[in-house]
Amino acid sequence: MTRSSSAAWVAALGILSALLYFHSLGSSPPYLSIEEVAQARDAVTFAATGRDMDGRLLPMYFPEPGSPLGREPLFIYLSAAVLKTVPFSEAAARATSAAAGLLDVLLMFVVARNIFGRPALAAAAAGLLMLTPVHFLQSRIGTQQIGTVTCVLGWLALLTGFLNTGRALRLFAATVCLGVGMYIYNGGFLLMPVYFVLTLVVVWRRPIGNRKAELQAAIGGYLCVVLPLFVWYVIHPERITRLAEYYTHGEYNKDMGSTGFTGGGAIAHLDAWWQCFNPDKLFFSGDADLRFSTRGAGYFLLPLAVPMIAGVRYASRLLRKDVAFVVVGGLMLSPLPAAFVSNDEAKRWLPFLPFAIIVATAGIEFLRAGGRRVVEACAFGILLTARWLTPLASPLLLAAFVAQWTFAARRRAGYVCVAALTLLGALQMARYLSDYFGPYRIESSGHYGGNLRGAIRQAIANSAPGDCVRLDRRVYYLEDQWDLYTRAYNRLDLAQRTFWFDAAGGDEPPASCRGVTTVGDVDDTRFSTWRKTPIPELSGPVRLAVYRSAAP
Amino acid sequence: VARCASQCIAVPRLNDAKRWVLIGSLALCAAAVYGPSLGVVDVLLMYLLADRCFRHAGVAFASGLALLFAPAHIFYIRSFSVDDIWCLPVTLWWAVAVTALFEPPSPGTRWMLASGIGALPMSAIREPSALLMLPIWIAVTVLMFRRSGPWHWRDVVPSAVALVVGMALMVWASAASATTLGQFRRFLDTADMRNMFVAARALGLCWDFFRPSHLFLTPSAPGFSGMFLTPFVVPILVGIHALAIRRAEPRAGIDRMIPAIVAGCVGGPLSAAMSGDVTDGTSLLTVPFGLLLAAYGATVMREWGRTPWRASFAALCLIATIQAGALLGLGR
């Protein structure tokens, strides 16, 4: 019965997640961000040649023009595999992330079922993750950070399975997941060893019987995945120096270099850790950058704050001791990458999501059980949340609050609390999705550089073989996007005959060009006699145009 | 330092007269440091409050001393304006008065409570955000009253009368100054918590106020101190942890003060954040209630065992002394 109901839940969650996470994937977010372009370019090149852009076969890190660090390999390999099977499109470039998001939801179900034992509650946890704004949004971005959540969920699913059954093989597989996480994203590179140590502590705290074998399994699983990486770093120690250089300058660590970790600078890391838990970001507005947040909702839906507070407060009572240790430890340690670089954007510490969802699910169970004081406190939370999320009049809300307060001691009062919170959550998510697929696309389009995709596609379509292309170097991100789309649409001939110009002039195409296509400002008078195709922007005003001349 | 700590703990052996001489000296010390100001009253009231919460004169003495050397308190006590500091002694007196609820009702305790509650509206005269704390303090009083056991509604009639009189006096004083009520009206306009974005901003600012560097370790401050001296981070964290764990048998007094401590620590910054202006001055209430939390944490640490307690206490005292010296500019 339990097994079949679990299968039904998994199927339902899988279908719902697929519908939600893959819907309009190519057009929401409206365009590829600069990071997505870089990753897609690596994937396109690797899919075509099996090499990186510098020509290295099966590279460990993919180099980027202008950045010596390189990108982590796993997601690029996976994206390349996708691009081997389907033609390039923005949706295909994001498909790996969306699939990771879908897998997260299913893994969350397994984790919660291992912890709480009830499929319905596990489905609630998975549903919560599916409808968590930051998870939804990050899963639709074609870069690798969402993969750290998948690895952590895999680790948690296997670790909780091990804690339930004592099978060392699961522990081995759990630490393998952590090892894999180190090939995905820089945040994971820092965080996975910390979770590995957490695993060792959990195993160490178990009864002494099989402790040695279990520790061996844990260490073995981790080492067998991390060892190649370790060897690579022994051969290429310069990457450590580059990492240190990169993350102590520019926007990171206030450009303080190594002094960012000593003296007065050191305390800033603690502040960054603290700021990660800022309720404003968690429940109200999310990240400041419009590419990572709609600014209309926080990382979590607002009604989730109530069970989350209850879950944190009573975690030691609601969860098994070893599970509580892992969950609270994981939650506290997740912001380490953000603290390390003094930048608290959610993408750096996304692995906090599963822990927060477990805590919230425990809180839901706690609220459902009811109790006079619990329901009274919950009623207050519902009153505030409803005031903020609904247009209902204050007297009506107050009447509902008084009624809930009055009947707080009733047996089913806890159910009413959970139902009210669910209703409010559904309302906020509906509003969020409507914003995400609607006005947010228009508002955020400028943060992606505008409709460069449209301009480049038009330029490629206009250009015949033997034509030359002129591009305005004052247009942000044009160079990277041009590089990607010429590779993706197999027009490297155009890339080789590309010439750049700016306000003062620039490289002139040679007379051998059959014709010239130009991408530039819509009001550029230098091309007033050329055939002009304006490129419409989502937000309205036209900014770019593609010009065509039959002769250079 | 260890010997000094032992002597502090041994203070209960002194009789009442000697204890008052000791705290009187402390007050004189405060006067010498700050000049004749409200700070002296604060230190005395802190001593009284801790004494009534812990029933331990050593802890009370240390609490008074801690307030004496709390960096934020020193800074605002020595400023010319009393706008920020004014609410502190009044609120501390209220906190002392509500400890009357720990004892069975008697004419003495009834009037003690009434005096504290009656004085409470006076705290709001200078600072509009303090007026917002007024309902919070009243709610805390009601909550503590409901948990107080032998107290009945008729026992708090003098307190209710005192509150009404106090409110009337406040309105009169505000009308006389012709500023506070207008300020408060403007404050309410900005602090409209029915609006989600105002609430989000207030919560964000309040959270920011509690960032570790601001509370305990500000690199640009003298002696690197924050609002508190850095070593207080340890007993405060222990105190928070101890408060979060429900005890089968409540400690004398302090466990019943939890609502007041929470309101005192969080309410000040939160009410100030609603107006978008969280400063140490508008949030000064956090200092005495935070120190009460630290005192609680210190008593818990003491239970961990004699040697670890003495060692950690000695180490923390040493660091605090050095930092206080740096803060006051000694050795320059």
Side-chain angles (χ1 to χ4, degrees):
Chain A
M1 176 65 187
T2 307
R3 190 177 287 269
S4 62
S5 71
S6 288
W9 279 120
V10 166
L13 286 164
I15 292 167
L16 280 174
S17 303
L19 288 174
L20 193 62
Y21 281 45
F22 283 90
H23 173 65
S24 302
L25 193 58
S27 55
S28 293
Y31 309 115
L32 292 180
S33 69
I34 190 69
E35 292 90 355
E36 287 177 301
V37 166
Q39 179 164 314
R41 188 172 49 190
D42 287 332
V44 165
T45 310
F46 186 73
T49 63
R51 295 171 185 274
D52 65 19
M53 287 182 11
D54 287 349
R56 279 177 301 194
L57 190 68
L58 298 173
M60 178 65 90
Y61 288 96
F62 285 79
E64 289 178 65
S67 168
L69 267 186
R71 301 185 82 82
E72 287 69 15
L74 193 61
F75 258 52
I76 296 175
Y77 279 61
L78 292 172
S79 294
V82 171
L83 292 176
K84 273 284 189 192
T85 53
V86 295
F88 174 82
S89 66
E90 286 75 17
R94 290 170 176 155
T96 313
S97 300
L102 192 154
L103 187 59
D104 290 350
V105 174
L106 303 182
L107 284 170
M108 190 73 238
F109 177 85
V110 178
V111 173
R113 195 191 53 188
N114 286 348
I115 292 174
F116 300 106
R118 288 172 37 212
L121 203 57
L128 285 178
L129 183 67
M130 181 177 74
L131 298 177
T132 294
V134 70
H135 185 263
F136 168 77
L137 196 141
Q138 292 282 352
S139 297
R140 297 174 63 93
I141 297 174
T143 46
Q144 67 276 62
Q145 61 264 22
I146 194 69
T148 54
V149 183
T150 314
C151 287
V152 167
L153 274 163
W155 165 65
L156 274 176
L158 290 157
L159 182 65
T160 48
F162 160 73
L163 292 173
N164 287 346
T165 62
R167 289 184 191 165
L169 191 62
R170 292 191 182 187
L171 186 60
F172 179 88
T175 51
V176 165
C177 288
L178 291 181
V180 172
M182 295 187 70
Y183 292 85
I184 288 184
Y185 187 57
N186 275 341
F189 188 76
L190 196 69
L191 206 50
M192 299 304 159
V194 175
Y195 289 152
F196 173 62
V197 172
L198 194 67
T199 311
L200 294 184
V201 175
V202 171
V203 175
W204 185 258
R205 285 156 56 108
R206 282 169 62 81
I208 203 157
N210 294 328
R211 189 192 286 170
K212 193 176 171 188
E214 288 167 357
L215 282 173
Q216 282 170 349
I219 294 168
Y222 189 67
L223 282 187
C224 76
V225 184
V226 172
L227 215 54
L229 190 67
F230 180 76
V231 172
W232 190 91
Y233 270 95
V234 170
I235 300 168
H236 302 91
E238 70 280 0
R239 189 167 192 269
I240 301 278
T241 322
R242 288 173 186 163
L243 271 173
E245 177 74 13
Y246 184 76
Y247 283 113
T248 51
H249 289 90
E251 61 180 301
Y252 300 109
N253 285 310
K254 298 178 183 171
D255 205 11
M256 290 169 72
S258 59
T259 53
F261 292 86
T262 54
I267 193 75
H269 300 285
L270 201 56
D271 283 349
W273 173 84
W274 179 256
Q275 284 301 343
C276 286
F277 298 107
N278 192 321
D280 181 15
K281 296 179 84 168
L282 288 183
F283 299 109
F284 292 94
S285 57
D287 280 331
D289 191 331
L290 215 54
R291 289 175 307 158
F292 303 126
S293 163
T294 64
R295 305 292 291 157
Y299 298 154
F300 299 98
L301 295 175
L302 183 57
L304 207 61
V306 179
M308 213 174 271
I309 291 167
V312 169
R313 172 71 179 80
Y314 299 105
S316 57
R317 196 197 299 177
L318 298 169
L319 298 171
R320 243 172 53 188
K321 203 174 174 183
D322 44 7
V323 174
F325 180 78
V326 173
V327 170
V328 175
L331 198 61
M332 294 292 109
L333 293 170
S334 296
L336 274 183
F340 192 71
V341 299
S342 299
N343 182 319
D344 56 6
E345 279 179 339
K347 66 177 182 178
R348 298 183 202 291
W349 58 294
L350 275 180
F352 79 104
L353 283 174
F355 304 108
I357 294 295
I358 292 168
V359 165
T361 310
I364 288 172
E365 185 68 348
F366 181 71
L367 295 180
R368 193 185 60 82
R372 187 183 178 89
R373 287 176 69 176
V374 174
V375 175
E376 284 174 358
C378 185
F380 187 66
I382 291 171
L383 173 71
L384 281 178
T385 314
R387 184 69 192 83
W388 290 330
L389 293 181
T390 67
L392 294 174
S394 296
L396 195 66
L397 292 173
L398 275 175
F401 170 72
V402 170
Q404 208 171 5
W405 187 279
T406 310
F407 298 111
R410 292 284 179 93
R411 199 161 62 89
R412 298 274 177 180
Y415 284 88
V416 176
C417 281
V418 174
L421 289 170
T422 308
L423 197 65
L424 288 168
L427 187 74
Q428 193 188 10
M429 193 62 195
R431 198 180 297 166
Y432 176 82
L433 290 176
S434 146
D435 181 33
Y436 181 83
F437 290 112
Y440 166 72
R441 288 183 66 236
I442 297 164
E443 287 162 19
S444 65
S445 61
H447 291 256
Y448 293 88
N451 193 5
L452 292 178
R453 174 182 63 192
I456 292 170
R457 279 181 177 170
Q458 186 66 46
I460 290 175
N462 286 1
S463 303
D467 278 7
C468 294
V469 176
R470 296 187 79 201
L471 302 176
D472 190 337
R473 64 162 56 96
R474 293 168 298 175
V475 179
Y476 281 128
Y477 310 140
L478 184 56
E479 187 174 356
D480 294 286
Q481 300 238 7
W482 177 250
D483 194 10
L484 165 67
Y485 283 100
T486 49
R487 286 170 190 269
Y489 295 136
N490 206 17
R491 292 300 303 269
L492 288 171
D493 58 315
L494 288 179
Q496 285 162 359
R497 290 195 303 278
T498 299
F499 302 89
W500 293 89
F501 70 95
D502 53 24
D507 303 329
E508 288 297 329
S512 60
C513 297
R514 287 186 183 175
V516 179
T517 306
T518 298
V519 176
D521 193 283
V522 72
D523 296 323
D524 200 327
T525 50
R526 286 173 291 182
F527 308 105
S528 55
T529 56
W530 294 31
R531 183 159 58 85
K532 175 175 160 183
T533 312
I535 304 298
E537 295 287 334
L538 279 175
S539 51
V542 177
R543 196 171 59 92
L544 296 172
V546 176
Y547 303 92
R548 168 79 182 156
S549 170
Chain B
V1 173
R3 201 177 303 131
C4 170
S6 309
Q7 282 170 358
C8 286
I9 297 160
V11 169
R13 279 183 244 138
L14 300 176
N15 60 32
D16 277 354
K18 284 179 183 167
R19 283 167 58 187
W20 279 107
V21 168
L22 197 61
I23 196 62
S25 312
L26 184 64
L28 279 176
C29 184
V33 173
Y34 302 145
S37 68
L38 294 170
V40 182
V41 183
D42 292 343
V43 172
L44 281 169
L45 287 171
M46 187 72 210
Y47 172 86
L48 255 181
L49 176 61
D51 189 46
R52 287 189 65 83
C53 287
F54 296 98
R55 295 291 179 201
H56 192 296
V59 176
F61 179 82
S63 301
L65 201 65
L67 185 62
L68 178 65
F69 289 108
H73 190 245
I74 291 177
F75 180 82
Y76 281 94
I77 278 303
R78 291 167 72 89
S79 64
F80 289 109
S81 165
V82 292
D83 284 10
D84 294 321
I85 200 81
W86 167 250
C87 66
L88 212 53
V90 180
T91 312
L92 276 173
W93 173 245
W94 164 83
V96 172
V98 288
T99 59
L101 292 167
F102 305 162
E103 296 166 16
S106 67
T109 51
R110 281 188 206 110
W111 286 110
M112 185 177 170
L113 183 64
S115 68
I117 292 176
L120 207 48
M122 292 298 113
S123 67
I125 284 179
R126 290 280 182 168
E127 174 59 47
S129 68
L131 196 57
L132 208 67
M133 284 300 290
L134 204 56
I136 295 177
W137 293 131
I138 293 167
V140 167
T141 312
V142 171
L143 194 66
M144 290 174 70
F145 160 73
R146 280 181 64 184
R147 294 178 182 176
S148 63
W151 282 69
H152 296 284
W153 285 107
R154 63 175 177 275
D155 296 317
V156 289
V157 170
S159 303
V161 172
L163 182 64
V164 171
V165 173
M167 292 292 282
L169 277 172
M170 188 199 72
V171 171
W172 174 78
S174 302
S177 69
T179 52
T180 307
L181 284 181
Q183 281 177 348
F184 186 65
R185 206 172 296 123
R186 280 196 298 279
F187 173 75
L188 276 187
D189 287 341
T190 28
D192 182 9
M193 293 293 277
R194 291 172 302 174
N195 183 321
M196 185 168 92
F197 298 104
V198 174
R201 187 195 59 184
L203 282 171
L205 284 173
C206 184
W207 190 263
D208 191 47
F209 173 84
F210 288 106
R211 69 188 187 278
S213 71
H214 179 238
L215 290 186
F216 301 109
L217 196 69
T218 309
S220 55
F224 289 97
S225 57
M227 282 191 86
F228 299 91
L229 293 174
T230 308
F232 282 88
V233 66
V234 179
I236 285 178
L237 284 179
V238 175
I240 290 169
H241 181 255
L243 285 185
I245 297 169
R246 196 176 288 273
R247 290 177 175 276
E249 287 182 22
R251 288 164 187 274
I254 186 66
D255 273 346
R256 297 185 194 173
M257 281 297 278
I258 291 175
I261 292 175
V262 173
C265 288
V266 181
L270 189 59
S271 59
M274 287 180 198
S275 65
D277 180 31
V278 195
T279 63
D280 289 0
T282 52
S283 313
L284 212 51
L285 279 172
T286 304
V287 175
F289 287 97
L291 289 175
L292 208 58
L293 201 56
Y296 186 33
T299 57
V300 172
M301 284 169 72
R302 191 180 167 202
E303 288 173 4
W304 289 349
R306 197 168 173 76
T307 310
W309 147 246
R310 290 184 101 185
S312 38
F313 187 84
L316 293 175
C317 282
L318 186 66
I319 299 168
T321 309
I322 294 167
Q323 200 176 24
L327 178 72
L328 295 173
L330 299 179
R332 273 185 197 166

